[in-house]
Amino acid sequence: MDAQGRGQAGDDNVDPADQWVFDPNTGNYELRLDPAGQAPARPSDRRAPGSRRAARKPGGEVDDTDTRPLPAQGGRRGGRGADEAEERPPGGRAARRSGSRAAAASASVAGPASRRKRKPKPSGRKKVLYWTAGVVGFVLVAGCGGAFYLYQQLNGNINKVDVGVENDAVSDGPVNVLIIGTDARSGKGNSGYGDAGSVGHADTTLLMHISKDRSNATALSIPRDMITDIPDCPTKQKDGSRKIIPGEHGVRFNTSLGQEGRDPGCTWRTVEKLTGLKIDHFMMADFNAVKELSTAVDGVEVCAAKDLNDPKSHLRLKAGRHTVEGEQALAFVRTRHAIGFGSDLDRIKMQQQFLSSLIRKLKSDAFSSPSKLYAVSQAATKALTVDTGIGTASKLLDFGQDLKRVNIDKITFATVPVLDNPNDKATVILDKGKADPLFAMVRADHALAKGKKGKDKGKKAPVSKAPPGLVRVDVTNGGGPIGSAQETVDWLQNSKGARLSTNAGNAPAKLSATRLEYAPNQADQAATLADWMGLSKSALKKSPQNAGDRVPMKLTLGKDFTAPGTPIAAPTELPDNVQNVNADDKNVCAK
């Protein structure tokens, strides 16, 4: 996808972005073609959209000011599309006034577009490992709400894919957005990075969950080399027909896109199967996204805890803080050989640091001037491919306005927990013990971000956990599926090492929710069992007196119980050792 800058038309001294002036009465930018900065015309003075003449004031004076909304520029098949829209500065037709510089500029817009000069092909000498730029989609959702005011004029920049699901742009509930970065080598600015023949895989993938009340957001980074299952996927062909691409078991996650002709809808369905979360929309971008967007905001601040020198990504940074943009920004988010153990998991941390800083930059001053607003809008829309539910400028505007309410300190990045694959050192497998409660937290709309508290405020003494061999519990079935008590005891003994667990049969009464009864001197045992079972605090019932040495706790399985190993209630705290970082943390440094 072309993400180069737009060419100028008309007078070289007229910047199209400078013709937009912020109106404090409406909160929007308005087109003002008069260099003298006349006040906007009253609604009664305006001509209807498309009129060839400007409105005249009383006395015959011509009013150049056009306060009409930006016209949509949708691409037309066989006609003008994103490339031609790129040649035309923003604005409608202005008044024909002799000697007026603004009118001359407007007339050049209204006339036929000039033939675009062919740009030289990028050099192929930079042979480096691939990365992707799907990160821009995340940034658009988390930080670029204001930029959507100009998207009506940039409609033709946006590509879309029909994945067979079309959800409304605005929802009353939580929103899940799949951000895909593809390593495709096609398109201007994307060559020279690794394998020239790559069809474009899901190289960088984030699942962004925005809470129902828009108070917080969680972005889950999914490792590209994780072994998973890809379900059957219906894809739309060029002739409009649908083709089912068969699923696969035990393959790399990144092959959910591109491989066998899979489209973003296949990655969409793979993530839904993996996490149990229903996805609402997707955004996909290519290499140019990071280069163009980082340049549009005049660079992004990053931090290196040591000197970084990666000959494969061409990143060279001294220890300390730096502002990176363009090729250097892309090198930063692609590097992995200069940090940690040189794995993709280390690179994910770099990407999360870069994204956090970029969001802070966008939130702080990206929209301080019409010129910068225009540049960010151009870079962002040219980088995007989206689903049809948000495939127009107006839908993107609504979408961005709805989601931009999340504060930076309530945006948390986390990496889906994985383990080394014993059968293949080049890949990883899902760590279900940590991933399942993490996914459950997100499904339950629980925030990963924590409120800012004082140094000692709100802290509780940690509860020690008993070793498995000391956990003594009687299990009864009070509403679960038939055989649940014995199935749970088998799981506790064989999978968790709790040899002192026993089947106590059926409970005397049915319970709607699972309950664990314990004595004060069994608190460490209860903590261990609650962690295994995924019990909420409300499920724990502590008696007033201590129990004898050999007296067991009582676990009654309620109607909410489904199977051992499946958390009964979504946790409210992250599992131990799950990598995460807050977007407002400015002290994160690559090392």
Side-chain angles (χ1 to χ4, degrees), residues 52 103 109 117 174 213 252 275 363-364 366 370 394 425 431 560:
R52 294 180 178 271
V109 177
K117 293 182 180 180
D213 62 3
R252 290 179 189 244
T275 64
K363 286 276 192 181
S364 63
S394 60
K425 293 182 179 179
D431 184 349
D560 58 350

Side-chain angles (χ1 to χ4, degrees), residues 215-292:
S215 66
N216 64 86
T218 297
L220 300 179
S221 295
I222 303 175
R224 69 179 190 190
D225 295 324
M226 183 181 67
I227 298 301
T228 190
D229 295 337
I230 300 175
D232 292 346
C233 177
T235 59
K236 190 171 184 178
Q237 306 300 298
K238 291 182 179 179
D239 61 2
S241 63
R242 292 272 176 185
K243 176 184 177 182
I244 302 295
I245 300 178
E248 293 185 87
H249 297 284
V251 295
R252 290 179 189 244
F253 173 83
N254 69 340
T255 60
S256 63
L257 177 68
Q259 203 81 4
E260 309 298 336
R262 296 187 178 102
D263 67 9
C266 300
T267 307
W268 177 316
R269 291 169 174 83
T270 301
V271 174
E272 285 189 337
K273 180 179 177 64
L274 173 70
T275 64
L277 286 155
K278 202 72 176 174
I279 294 175
D280 299 283
H281 302 288
F282 87 86
M283 290 180 170
M284 182 174 70
D286 60 13
F287 285 103
N288 265 329
V290 167
K291 294 191 293 184
E292 296 298 319

Side-chain angles (χ1 to χ4, degrees), residues 51-256:
S51 172
R52 294 180 178 271
R53 294 186 178 181
R56 288 188 176 273
K57 295 180 180 180
E61 183 181 353
V62 178
D63 183 0
D64 299 3
T65 304
D66 187 350
T67 58
R68 288 171 291 166
L70 292 168
Q73 287 188 351
R76 290 178 286 183
R77 296 182 182 176
R80 291 174 180 160
D83 287 343
E84 283 189 298
E86 189 176 340
E87 297 292 337
R88 299 173 62 184
R93 301 189 180 189
R96 296 182 177 178
R97 188 170 69 176
S98 175
S100 169
R101 175 179 299 173
S106 180
S108 68
V109 177
S114 60
R115 183 176 295 274
R116 182 177 179 179
K117 293 182 180 180
R118 180 173 297 176
K119 297 180 181 178
K121 293 183 178 179
S123 170
R125 67 178 180 272
K126 294 183 179 180
K127 301 296 182 182
V128 288
L129 294 178
Y130 56 79
W131 188 76
T132 62
V135 294
V136 71
F138 179 91
V139 172
L140 287 174
V141 175
C144 277
F148 286 96
Y149 282 116
L150 289 181
Y151 282 5
Q152 294 180 60
Q153 188 266 333
L154 301 170
N155 221 10
N157 287 352
I158 305 169
N159 286 338
K160 55 190 174 185
V161 173
D162 182 358
V163 297
V165 179
E166 184 167 335
N167 296 318
D168 292 338
V170 178
S171 168
D172 292 333
V175 177
N176 296 307
V177 186
L178 186 65
I179 313 300
I180 306 172
T182 171
D183 61 344
R185 303 303 190 271
S186 61
K188 295 180 180 180
N190 293 321
S191 63
Y193 301 98
D195 301 330
S198 174
V199 295
H201 297 100
D203 191 49
T204 297
T205 305
L206 299 101
L207 177 60
M208 182 180 178
H209 172 85
I210 302 92
S211 66
K212 180 178 180 179
D213 62 3
R214 307 297 186 260
S215 66
N216 64 86
T218 297
L220 300 179
S221 295
I222 303 175
R224 69 179 190 190
D225 295 324
M226 183 181 67
I227 298 301
T228 190
D229 295 337
I230 300 175
D232 292 346
C233 177
T235 59
K236 190 171 184 178
Q237 306 300 298
K238 291 182 179 179
D239 61 2
S241 63
R242 292 272 176 185
K243 176 184 177 182
I244 302 295
I245 300 178
E248 293 185 87
H249 297 284
V251 295
R252 290 179 189 244
F253 173 83
N254 69 340
T255 60
S256 63

Side-chain angles (χ1 to χ4, degrees), residues 489-566:
V489 169
D490 291 342
W491 177 74
L492 289 172
Q493 292 184 354
N494 299 325
S495 297
K496 297 299 181 181
R499 302 296 182 184
L500 300 179
S501 55
T502 58
N503 180 359
N506 291 326
K510 299 292 183 180
L511 297 179
S512 59
T514 299
R515 183 173 65 197
L516 174 62
E517 300 173 66
Y518 68 99
N521 61 337
Q522 296 171 326
D524 57 345
Q525 298 181 50
T528 300
L529 187 59
D531 184 47
W532 290 342
M533 300 290 295
L535 298 175
S536 64
K537 291 181 181 179
S538 62
L540 307 181
K541 305 297 180 184
K542 184 169 67 172
S543 63
Q545 297 180 347
N546 287 335
D549 290 342
R550 296 179 179 273
V551 175
M553 299 182 293
K554 295 181 180 180
L555 176 65
T556 304
L557 304 177
K559 294 180 181 179
D560 58 350
F561 177 83
T562 55
T566 300

